[in-house]
Structures are given as C-alpha cells and as structure tokens.
Amino acid sequence: MGAFTFISLRYYIGVLSLLPLFLYLKKHSSLAESLTVSAGIKQWHGKRFFAAALTASLCNWGGAVLVQIGLHTTDAARAGFISSAYIAIVPLLDFLIFRKKASHRIWVGIAMAMVGLYLLCMADSSTMSPGDLAVVGSTICFASHILLWSHYSIHVDGLRFIIVEFLFTGTLSGIIGLATETMMWQDLSACLLPLLFAGVLGVGVTYTIQIYAQRFTSASMAALLMSMEAVFSSIGGVLILHETLTPREWTGCAIMFATILYVQMPAFQKKQSPA
C-alpha cells in the first residue's frame, strides 16, 4: 500500500471511530458542554473554524508524508531521534509566533531530554542523509501542529475540530493517492489490522485525548511529555517483542524519566504546599 493511500484510509478510519462518541456527546449536551471551550473565551465558528482546521490539517499531513518519505532511506532509530527534536522547536516557534516565553526549567528539561533521546536512539553520529532531512521537515510540521492545537484548543469544540481536520487530511491524501498509487483489494485485506490499529488507536483515541489535554498545559510542556513515546516504544520492544536494550539505551530512558519528573516538580510542590 502506498503512503498516501495508507494515510488517507488511516484518517478516514479515525473519523469513523469518533462518530459514536460524537453522537453520544450530541445526545448528552451537558457532558459535551463541559468538554468544549472554557467560559469567557470566544468560540470560533464558520470560516474561522474551518480555516483553523485546514491549517492544522496541512501541518499534520505534511509531517505524516515527509516522515513516510524519510523512512525509505533512514532507519527508525535515527528517525525517532530527529522527530523528537520537536521538543526544542515547539517553544522556539511559540516565542517567535505567539511571543510566549518558556521557563528556564523547561529549557533545562529540553536539554536533558535531547541527551536522553540521543543515547536512546542514536547508535552513531554519521552525517545526515536525504531521508534524515525529510524527517527534519516532518519534525517542523509536527511541531507546528502541536503549537497550533495548543492555540486552537481553547477556542473550538475539540471533537468537531479534529473530525473536520481529519477529513481534510484524509481527502487530500486520497486525491494524491488515487492519482499516483494503485491498490488491489487483496492488498487492503492484507494490511487491514495495521490500518485499524493506526486509525482507531493512533488517530481516533490518541488525538482526541491530546486536543482536550492541550487545553490545560502549555505547548512546550505538551511537547516534552509526548517525547516520552521514544521511551515507551523502547520498553514495549523489550516487553512485547523481546528485544534487548544496551546500558547506553537504558541510561537514555532513565534521563528521559528524570526529565519529566524535573519539569513537573513545581506542580508537585504546589500541590503539597499548605493552603
């Protein structure tokens, strides 16, 4: 299955998986209201809503396409490290575009996380290939997507927003896929389970949680927390695929966990302080 066809079907499946939740919330209006925009903040409708969804869709789509291109010529570990560099790009873009400054603790955490990710993902320091550069481009797109969601999430009904965004993403990929790729029914049946996994869990469940969660945290903190995917994928490889990690890779995991504890420490201290 070609990359554009896979991306298109993945996002359409994600939309279908969200329809039951959409209909449920539509029926239970009080629950739906508690998940929409905060009181006193202007909610976007009409052209502004669709323009925001299209902008976010283009960033997400660009990231998905470029990482698929990059993975043809670079290995997954290098791609994982380069992709996780969005933890440094997000606060930089946040400052340049929205003039939001990240705290010193966040920047220290970013430096710690980059060290941990390097130990975890990079076996050598060889020069960058064209595939690596494509992954760099995808990283900038995904960083922009995180940043836009952090800005948009307080102004939109999250579920409606991602359904519209995913329809844009799936349709754009589908149009290009129909023009440049071919697919047989036996190909579709052969990869049905991976498609369902990527669509329902990777798109429907994950992105829904993300857009609601980003209403309550900064874009820089969200990027740091999501960089833990490299750690959980490594541990999952050990537990599920019976892979082994070197002492260097375990050290990288430990630094990543320490980073998350470090950047969250002020919140823990605030909760424990007397009223």
Side-chain angles (χ1 to χ4, degrees):
M1 180 177 293
F4 290 106
T5 303
F6 179 83
I7 292 169
S8 178
L9 292 175
R10 177 191 180 190
Y11 279 91
Y12 279 140
I13 291 171
V15 169
L16 291 175
S17 72
L18 291 174
L19 288 181
L21 178 61
F22 176 78
L23 295 174
Y24 178 82
L25 291 178
K26 189 174 182 180
K27 184 177 179 181
H28 298 80
S29 57
S30 59
L31 177 59
E33 289 175 1
S34 67
L35 295 173
T36 55
V37 297
S38 304
I41 296 178
K42 185 177 180 181
Q43 185 170 5
W44 293 348
H45 297 284
K47 292 182 179 179
R48 192 171 189 183
F49 175 91
F50 285 101
L54 178 59
T55 305
S57 175
L58 289 174
C59 290
N60 193 28
W61 177 81
V65 171
L66 286 171
V67 79
Q68 290 284 347
I69 294 172
L71 284 172
H72 282 292
T73 55
T74 190
D75 59 75
R78 288 181 65 85
F81 173 74
I82 297 170
S83 297
S84 297
Y86 62 66
I87 62 177
I89 297 174
V90 167
L92 180 61
L93 291 178
D94 206 8
F95 174 73
L96 294 175
I97 298 173
F98 300 113
R99 297 299 175 187
K100 293 183 180 179
K101 294 182 179 180
S103 67
H104 293 299
R105 185 176 289 271
I106 291 291
W107 283 111
V108 172
I110 288 170
M112 293 171 60
M114 293 301 293
V115 172
L117 286 166
Y118 183 86
L119 294 175
L120 179 60
C121 300
M122 298 291 282
D124 56 63
S125 56
S126 58
T127 57
M128 298 190 73
S129 67
D132 293 335
L133 294 176
V135 178
V136 170
S138 77
T139 302
I140 295 173
C141 289
F142 285 136
S144 301
H145 188 248
I146 293 171
L147 190 62
L148 290 176
W149 267 23
S150 184
H151 180 62
Y152 294 158
S153 62
I154 61 174
H155 294 285
V156 298
D157 178 336
L159 189 59
R160 292 176 184 269
F161 184 82
I162 59 176
I163 286 176
V164 173
E165 179 189 331
F166 293 165
L167 285 174
F168 279 142
T169 305
T171 301
L172 180 58
S173 298
I175 292 172
I176 298 175
L178 287 173
T180 61
E181 299 172 350
T182 57
M183 184 188 70
M184 306 296 290
W185 283 110
Q186 55 266 34
D187 298 328
L188 177 61
S189 61
C191 57
L192 183 60
L193 288 179
L195 264 176
L196 289 174
F197 182 88
V200 176
L201 292 179
V203 172
V205 175
T206 304
Y207 279 132
T208 302
I209 294 172
Q210 181 185 338
I211 194 168
Y212 284 119
Q214 282 197 231
R215 292 175 55 198
F216 307 103
T217 187
S218 68
S220 300
M221 181 64 76
L224 265 175
L225 293 172
M226 285 189 285
S227 70
M228 289 293 290
E229 63 182 326
V231 175
F232 288 115
S233 64
S234 298
I235 295 176
V238 172
L239 297 178
I240 300 172
L241 302 178
H242 307 293
E243 297 175 348
T244 58
L245 296 181
T246 65
R248 170 193 173 111
E249 291 167 334
W250 281 116
T251 302
C253 288
I255 292 175
M256 289 295 295
F257 276 117
T259 299
I260 300 305
L261 292 176
Y262 172 76
V263 297
Q264 291 289 331
M265 198 175 296
F268 295 150
Q269 292 173 344
K270 186 175 181 180
K271 288 179 180 180
Q272 294 172 0
S273 62

